[in-house]
Amino acid sequence: MSNLEIVFKEISKNKIKLAASPNGATFEENFKQYLRKYGFNEISKNTMDDELKSFLAEIKKDILNKDDTMLLGNSLYKRTLRKDFADFYIWQPYGSQDFPDFLVFSQNSVFAIETKFSKEKQSKPMWNSNIPKKNSIYIFANHEFLDLTYFLGHDVISDDERAKLLALWEQTDKEYTKWADDFNKKIKNGELTNNYGFTTYIRRAYDQGKKHNKNAILDFFKNKNRADLENNVISFISLHS
């Protein structure tokens, strides 16, 4: 059994304790404790060597890819055989506002893990501008319910559905660019003054609801498929560690 499998089995045993964290920052710190306890060293962005910095930059495009079509291998370890380049993690590798919260490196793979925490009685995560990525792991905990669950992106949204939603924003971005160009042209030609700089912006965001499917699953804790989703994470880690 891999170290990361043990981490997830242990957080399953301690769901109430972890979900009782007072806020998201504390929840992440508590998750770090499990990673460290079961063999993962933390490497800070400020202390990592140039080789690791270069590798992070190399994989950034793939990690941040909205499609997220594949799980990345730990080619850094395979190339160098340095023991410190396996069984470690980086917190917020691309900043606090970017996905993911954790990159966890085993000998064979680089696992992207996103934590979602809510203090309110909320049974589904907030997705904001990132739709669930295919081969990424999500941990969702709720303070009010004192519960925690986890799942893979591809278990909650299909490739076709993700592609449709992403295509909508691509088209929206194109239309907005056309509008902005026309708006700027009218200002330049004196048709508009824009003395006070009024403009608009489009905020990309994803949510779950019953607009398109009245039977949509919106409660991740009472989800009838919950056990399968959690087991799939363990199997996924076992297969790729």
Side-chain angles (χ1 to χ4, degrees):
M1 183 181 298
S2 72
N3 290 347
L4 194 55
E5 283 180 82
I6 297 172
V7 169
F8 275 85
K9 287 180 180 293
E10 287 301 308
I11 67 173
S12 287
K13 295 176 183 176
N14 294 280
K15 290 178 178 180
I16 293 176
K17 181 179 178 181
L18 278 163
S21 301
N23 51 53
T26 303
F27 175 73
E28 287 187 346
E29 288 300 320
N30 289 336
F31 179 61
K32 287 182 186 180
Q33 289 183 20
Y34 281 86
L35 288 171
R36 291 192 292 263
K37 181 177 179 180
Y38 295 102
F40 291 94
N41 297 315
E42 179 173 9
I43 296 182
S44 166
K45 291 180 292 182
N46 298 323
T47 59
M48 65 179 63
D49 64 20
D50 289 341
E51 196 158 17
L52 181 52
K53 285 181 182 178
S54 177
F55 184 66
L56 271 186
E58 177 187 321
I59 66 175
K60 182 176 181 178
K61 183 178 179 181
D62 290 324
I63 293 292
L64 298 183
N65 179 8
K66 298 291 184 182
D67 267 338
D68 182 38
T69 54
M70 63 187 207
L71 176 71
L72 296 181
N74 188 354
S75 57
L76 179 63
Y77 172 75
K78 292 176 181 177
R79 185 169 68 236
T80 64
L81 294 180
R82 281 177 50 177
K83 291 183 178 180
D84 56 331
F85 283 163
D87 291 332
F88 73 95
Y89 72 89
I90 303 170
W91 177 58
Q92 296 182 347
Y94 302 114
S96 60
Q97 300 301 314
D98 261 325
F99 174 93
D101 293 316
F102 295 88
L103 279 181
V104 180
F105 293 71
S106 69
Q107 286 192 7
N108 293 315
S109 301
V110 181
F111 295 95
I113 300 177
E114 183 81 351
T115 59
K116 301 284 187 180
F117 181 85
S118 176
K119 289 188 67 175
E120 311 299 327
K121 290 185 176 180
Q122 187 173 311
S123 59
K124 59 184 176 67
M126 289 285 290
W127 295 108
N128 299 317
S129 63
N130 272 316
I131 199 164
K133 294 173 179 283
K134 181 175 181 177
N135 288 305
S136 299
I137 300 171
Y138 295 86
I139 305 172
F140 175 44
N142 184 279
H143 180 82
E144 284 295 314
F145 297 142
L146 290 178
D147 205 352
L148 175 153
T149 188
Y150 45 84
F151 51 90
L152 290 159
H154 63 65
D155 279 340
V156 297
I157 183 169
S158 69
D159 291 352
D160 290 343
E161 189 176 337
R162 183 187 300 102
K164 287 287 186 185
L165 291 166
L166 290 172
L168 167 66
W169 287 113
E170 289 177 9
Q171 185 61 35
T172 301
D173 289 343
K174 289 178 182 177
E175 291 298 321
Y176 181 78
T177 299
K178 286 170 57 179
W179 175 88
D181 288 345
D182 181 67
F183 194 68
N184 290 333
K185 182 179 179 181
K186 284 180 167 55
I187 294 171
K188 185 177 181 180
N189 292 340
E191 298 175 54
L192 299 170
T193 62
N194 201 233
N195 286 338
Y196 287 86
F198 282 100
T199 187
T200 185
Y201 67 91
I202 296 172
R203 182 176 181 268
R204 184 186 298 245
Y206 298 96
D207 194 13
Q208 293 175 261
K210 298 199 174 187
K211 181 176 181 179
H212 306 295
N213 176 13
K214 66 179 182 180
N215 297 313
I217 298 170
L218 304 181
D219 191 326
F220 278 73
F221 300 117
K222 295 180 180 178
N223 178 12
K224 65 180 180 179
N225 304 317
R226 175 176 173 171
D228 290 337
L229 265 60
E230 293 179 0
N231 288 334
N232 287 349
V233 171
I234 301 297
S235 297
F236 181 77
I237 293 170
S238 176
L239 180 63
H240 297 290
S241 289

